């Protein structure tokens, strides 16, 4: 049975639900401040316009034309275009990326759930910096606790997806998305009155070209060459581009999947514009909710992964109504994570239903189980497992324990490897190939038909972008990230 969204609004809610997630509420505010505020935002909008928006349009158009899960949609569309059906490998790599991303996303979302309860129980109130750090360490060093929260989050995701597109996904996002917007607005309202708002605006929107264009060390000091000159770098642009993919859920078929449930008579130009704008708006509002609290409490805005789990609870510890605001904040993050998780698993579930004739409940349960199991790698990473430990255990098993694994690479943990491999390689590569497929392999007539309900200027602009601009820009980012090519 083929599904269709009940209305275009439910499609928008689901797609925005996918896009808005941990990436917006935690990562975007922090990297914005880190790389020069207003100038970074300008660069990010540039990437969203030149890469994100065209690829978003492409995924919706292809999904709607194929009407299947990404693997089968790509197989069908390549047959139609007389190209190799192997383009469906792109769908396979998307499913794998989605499952891998969800495996760690769920562990972090589990921590968010744990923090929602901790905030609600008043655990942060009146704590010192050491006390807050202790709470974080206690949680992340206890594999059993992490496992319990990870399990709960996967179960919630599986239940939502198993109930079907209309009964599960639509119902969940129809509740979650408005709740998320309301909570976010309450938090921004609170932050506006907290006393740190103008400092936060300054931090986020004052263009700082130096921070954008010159290399700095971990402590934030500028690096200089032998002549004492600052060192020029394109790294901030790379970060902005990489984030555009992750935050818009592009490159792995999530949006293509949602596009396949979209009615033929909807303007995809309008849909893509709305999704991209709302995702960006939420990211900006998240910054405006978080940074004032950080500044008014004299905390460090650039504290990286610790920003929401260590810095922000410290702000909640000392402010009036902190327990309440803290609970709202983490609940918001949980909503955002759940609606993204749903979209990470749906392409695989839909594929199993179509191609393996599984029932939805069974398909979701199996996929959830595999992802849950993969998540153990992230849990043990949190508690200290590194690639070196794994390598040594493997070598030991075959009797080669005298070999030393000293390369810097072995200091990374499995979570870091999965994160880098998916977000920095699989998504950009997937997005680039999707653009190439639509721009160079498919017939013009078949792509054009999908744009018939959009403004007539959108098609020629889109066509030019997916042929000449987006793939080239992504290729540059991609080569830069894996170090083959450098702008410096
Ligand atoms: N867009 C989500 C975020 O910003 O947190 C993450 C994500 C969801 C990435 C779905 C990829 C995806 F397919």
């Amino acid at each position: 049975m083929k599904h269709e969204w009940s209305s275009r609004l439910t499609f928008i809610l689901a797609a925005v639900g996918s896009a808005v997630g941990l990436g917006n509420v935690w990562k975007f505010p922090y990297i914005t401040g880190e790389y020069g505020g207003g100038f970074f935002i300008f660069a990010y909008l540039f990437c969203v316009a030149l890469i994100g928006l065209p690829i978003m349009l492409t995924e919706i158009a292809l999904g709607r034309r194929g009407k299947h899960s990404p693997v089968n949609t790509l197989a069908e569309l390549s047959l139609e275009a007389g190209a190799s059906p192997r383009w469906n490998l792109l769908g396979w790599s998307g499913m794998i990326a989605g499952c891998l991303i969800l495996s760690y996303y769920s562990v972090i979302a589990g921590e968010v759930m744990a923090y929602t309860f901790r905030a609600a129980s008043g655990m942060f109130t009146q704590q010192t910096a050491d006390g807050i750090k202790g709470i974080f360490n206690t949680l992340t060093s206890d594999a059993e606790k992490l496992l319990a929260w990870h399990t709960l989050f996967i179960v919630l995701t599986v239940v939502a997806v198993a109930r079907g597109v209309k009964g599960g996904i639509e119902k969940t996002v129809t509740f979650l998305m408005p709740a998320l917007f309301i909570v976010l607005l309450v938090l921004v309202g609170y932050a506006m009155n907290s006393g740190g708002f103008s400092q936060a605006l300054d931090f986020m929107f004052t263009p700082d070209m130096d921070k954008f264009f010159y290399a700095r060390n971990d402590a934030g000091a500028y690096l200089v060459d032998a002549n004492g000159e600052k060192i020029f770098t394109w790294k901030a642009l790379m970060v902005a581009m990489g984030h555009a993919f992750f935050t818009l859920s592009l490159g792995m078929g999530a949006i293509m999947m949602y596009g396949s449930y979209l009615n033929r008579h909807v303007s995809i130009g309008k849909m893509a514009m709305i999704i991209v704008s709302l995702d960006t708006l939420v990211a900006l509002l998240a910054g405006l909710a978080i940074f004032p609290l950080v500044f008014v409490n004299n905390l460090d805005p650039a504290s990286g992964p610790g920003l929401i789990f260590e810095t922000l609870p410290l702000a909640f510890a000392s402010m009036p109504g902190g327990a309440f605001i803290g609970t709202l904040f983490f609940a918001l993050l949980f909503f955002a994570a759940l609606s993204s998780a749903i979209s990470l698993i749906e392409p695989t579930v839909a594929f199993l239903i179509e191609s393996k004739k599984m029932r939805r409940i069974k398909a979701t349960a199996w996929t959830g189980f595999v992802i849950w199991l993969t998540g153990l790698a992230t849990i043990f990473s949190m508690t200290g497992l590194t690639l070196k430990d794994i390598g040594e255990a493997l070598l030991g098993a075959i009797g080669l324990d005298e070999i030393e694994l000293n390369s810097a690479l072995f200091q990374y943990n499995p979570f870091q490897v999965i994160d880098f491999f998916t977000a920095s390689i699989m998504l950009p590569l997937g997005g680039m190939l999707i653009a190439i497929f639509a721009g160079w392999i498919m017939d013009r007539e078949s792509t054009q038909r999908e744009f018939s309900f959009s403004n007539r200027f959108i098609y020629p602009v889109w066509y030019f972008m997916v042929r000449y601009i987006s793939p080239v820009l992504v290729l540059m980012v991609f080569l830069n990230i894996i170090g083959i090519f450098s702008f410096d």
Side-chain angles (χ1 to χ4, degrees):
M1 186 183 77
K2 273 316 326 157
H3 302 282
E4 205 166 86
W5 299 111
S6 303
S7 66
R8 60 185 83 181
L9 179 67
T10 40
F11 167 71
I12 292 173
L13 291 174
V16 172
S18 168
V20 172
L22 297 171
N24 303 58
V25 183
W26 165 70
K27 198 168 178 200
F28 180 76
Y30 154 67
I31 52 179
T32 294
E34 182 74 348
Y35 291 104
F39 206 79
F40 181 86
I41 290 182
F42 176 74
Y44 167 78
L45 293 177
F46 175 85
C47 298
V48 163
L50 295 189
I51 304 175
L53 196 53
I55 295 181
M56 172 77 68
L57 276 164
T58 312
E59 286 209 23
I60 301 175
L62 264 53
R64 187 169 70 169
R65 182 154 185 79
K67 285 252 171 270
H68 292 298
S69 69
V71 171
N72 294 323
T73 283
L74 286 162
E76 222 159 83
L77 296 182
S78 51
L79 272 179
E80 184 186 274
S84 160
R86 286 282 155 252
W87 277 97
N88 75 349
L89 288 178
L90 204 50
W92 279 98
S93 94
M95 289 198 302
I96 295 170
C99 292
L100 283 172
I101 293 176
L102 186 53
S103 80
Y104 70 77
Y105 210 79
S106 161
V107 176
I108 300 174
E111 289 178 6
V112 168
M113 288 166 81
Y115 265 59
T116 313
F117 285 99
R118 281 161 181 58
S121 68
M123 204 165 172
F124 301 132
T125 313
Q126 305 299 332
Q127 285 282 358
T128 58
D130 282 344
I132 297 279
K133 224 184 185 57
I135 293 173
F136 184 64
N137 290 341
T138 312
L139 176 66
T140 52
S141 59
D142 186 341
E144 280 171 26
K145 270 208 188 103
L146 290 176
L147 182 65
W149 288 112
H150 164 61
T151 309
L152 182 59
F153 188 79
I154 291 282
V155 168
L156 290 174
T157 309
V158 165
V159 168
V161 176
R163 294 168 71 95
V165 176
K166 285 216 166 80
I169 300 180
E170 277 195 7
K171 281 218 175 92
T172 315
V173 295
T174 311
F175 162 72
L176 289 185
M177 286 298 107
L180 182 138
F181 270 96
I182 293 169
V183 173
L184 192 55
L185 290 177
V186 170
L187 289 173
V188 173
Y190 183 94
M192 280 175 94
N193 296 312
S194 69
F197 201 67
S198 64
Q199 234 175 320
L201 283 178
D202 246 18
F203 180 71
M204 284 177 66
F205 296 111
T206 307
D208 185 335
M209 308 284 245
D210 280 12
K211 276 195 191 152
F212 191 86
F213 285 120
Y214 294 106
R216 281 170 298 147
N217 63 16
D218 287 346
Y222 287 103
L223 302 175
V224 288
D225 61 14
N227 304 324
E229 301 277 343
K230 288 187 205 157
I231 300 168
F232 186 80
T233 171
W234 283 111
K235 185 161 174 241
L237 184 60
M238 304 295 124
V239 172
M241 285 205 215
H243 189 65
F245 269 97
F246 190 79
T247 190
L248 293 174
S249 305
L250 296 175
M252 57 139 287
I255 298 294
M256 202 187 283
M257 186 74 245
Y258 280 5
S260 78
Y261 303 138
L262 188 62
N263 182 283
R264 287 245 172 268
H265 305 289
V266 175
S267 151
I268 60 173
K270 212 182 271 172
M271 295 296 107
M273 212 73 110
I274 293 175
I275 299 163
V276 169
S277 315
L278 285 178
D279 182 71
T280 308
L281 180 72
V282 170
L284 295 176
L285 288 177
L288 293 178
I290 293 172
F291 285 124
L293 307 186
V294 170
F295 284 114
V296 84
N297 289 288
N298 291 321
L299 300 169
D300 176 14
S303 57
L307 186 66
I308 61 162
F309 292 120
E310 292 182 80
T311 308
L312 213 50
L314 198 53
F316 298 143
S318 57
M319 63 198 220
F324 178 67
I325 294 294
T327 311
L328 274 188
F329 175 82
F330 285 109
L332 160 108
L333 204 52
F334 162 66
F335 293 163
L338 185 61
S339 54
S340 296
I342 290 173
S343 73
L344 283 160
I345 197 173
E346 177 66 12
T348 306
V349 170
F351 169 74
L352 292 175
I353 297 172
E354 281 166 15
S355 294
K356 305 286 167 209
K357 306 284 172 255
M358 276 192 197
R359 284 178 51 227
R360 180 170 269 272
I361 294 186
K362 190 172 163 196
T364 320
W366 269 111
T367 316
F369 175 70
V370 172
I371 294 171
W372 175 82
L373 211 57
T374 316
L376 295 181
T378 295
I379 289 180
F380 292 126
S381 301
M382 303 264 171
T383 57
L385 180 79
T386 62
L387 291 188
K388 188 171 172 170
D389 301 322
I390 299 175
E392 282 174 354
L394 290 176
L395 288 173
I398 50 170
L400 295 172
D401 14 21
E402 67 283 2
I403 297 183
E404 298 249 338
L405 299 175
N406 286 331
S407 148
L409 185 72
F410 288 106
Q411 284 158 18
Y412 289 110
N413 61 42
F415 160 58
Q416 287 165 319
V417 174
I418 297 174
D419 179 23
F420 175 79
F421 196 69
T422 50
S424 301
I425 296 185
M426 293 179 88
L427 298 189
L429 197 61
M432 182 184 79
L433 291 172
I434 288 169
I436 291 174
F437 181 77
W440 294 91
I441 308 290
M442 284 176 74
D443 294 336
R444 258 194 97 132
E445 297 77 62
S446 51
T447 47
Q448 198 155 18
R449 217 170 303 152
E450 292 305 316
F451 284 80
S452 43
F453 290 90
S454 301
N455 183 306
R456 68 198 160 92
F457 295 114
I458 293 185
Y459 184 73
V461 176
W462 169 82
Y463 192 64
F464 179 76
M465 299 294 287
V466 287
R467 275 170 81 88
Y468 303 109
I469 307 292
S470 314
V472 175
L473 287 176
V474 177
L475 187 70
M476 281 155 75
V477 189
F478 179 62
L479 293 180
N480 188 279
I481 285 172
I482 58 174
I484 292 177
F485 167 85
S486 167
F487 284 111
D488 308 333

